[in-house]
């Protein structure tokens, strides 16, 4: 899983649009990978002091994370130009979503 973070208000649209360096895009895409790969984008408030509240009992992140499998995304031949990918807002990276992803992988399927 490749984790990215943004304070841009991309979460206000559906699908969200997130721009990756072409190298990151290429590293995450493809159906012939031995280990499944996933992009996770965490949306955070602009104010760094509001990103996280943490102590020994809990860790609370503000806003939300979203996931996307680029497994079936096409190769891009546009040199080193960044690639913008659509992430549906319904694909929240929750405990249940992580459990489902891990179950799929455990059953030999690719998310």
């Amino acid at each position: 899983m490749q984790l990215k973070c943004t304070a841009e208000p991309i979460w206000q649209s559906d699908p969200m649009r997130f721009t990756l360096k072409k190298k990151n895009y290429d590293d995450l895409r493809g159906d012939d990978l031995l280990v499944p790969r996933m992009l996770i984008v965490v949306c955070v408030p602009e104010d760094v002091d509001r990103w996280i509240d943490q102590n020994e009992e809990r860790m609370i992140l503000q806003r939300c994370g979203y996931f996307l499998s680029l497994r079936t995304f096409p190769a891009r031949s546009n040199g080193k130009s960044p690639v913008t990918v659509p992430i549906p807002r319904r694909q929240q990276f929750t405990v249940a979503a992580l459990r489902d992803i891990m179950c799929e992988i455990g059953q030999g399927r690719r998310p």
Side-chain angles (χ1 to χ4, degrees):
M1 295 187 176
Q2 188 170 118
L3 182 65
K4 299 291 186 180
C5 180
T6 183
E8 296 293 321
I10 66 169
W11 52 271
Q12 293 178 346
S13 63
D14 191 8
M16 298 177 285
R17 304 257 178 239
F18 187 77
T19 303
L20 289 166
K21 292 180 182 176
K22 185 169 182 303
K23 180 198 180 308
N24 297 125
Y25 176 83
D26 289 339
D27 288 346
L28 290 168
R29 61 159 295 284
D31 201 25
D32 59 346
L33 301 170
L34 181 60
V35 177
R37 298 180 184 182
M38 183 94 36
L39 170 66
I40 300 169
V41 177
V42 177
C43 297
V44 296
E46 282 189 34
D47 181 358
V48 174
D49 293 331
R50 294 186 53 225
W51 282 12
I52 189 169
D53 180 23
Q54 186 269 331
N55 62 37
E56 290 183 353
E57 298 294 319
R58 71 187 187 303
M59 179 168 37
I60 301 172
L61 297 171
Q62 300 300 318
R63 294 242 166 84
C64 193
Y66 302 88
F67 69 94
L68 180 68
S69 171
L70 280 74
R71 180 175 58 86
T72 61
F73 278 53
R76 301 288 174 108
S77 60
N78 55 347
K80 293 186 177 185
S81 297
V83 180
T84 300
V85 296
I87 306 172
R89 285 188 59 194
R90 71 178 179 278
Q91 292 184 190
Q92 291 184 15
F93 189 64
T94 63
V95 172
L98 178 58
R99 187 177 300 123
D100 291 345
I101 291 166
M102 298 306 289
C103 284
E104 275 193 61
I105 293 169
Q107 294 173 0
R109 295 189 307 265
R110 295 184 178 206

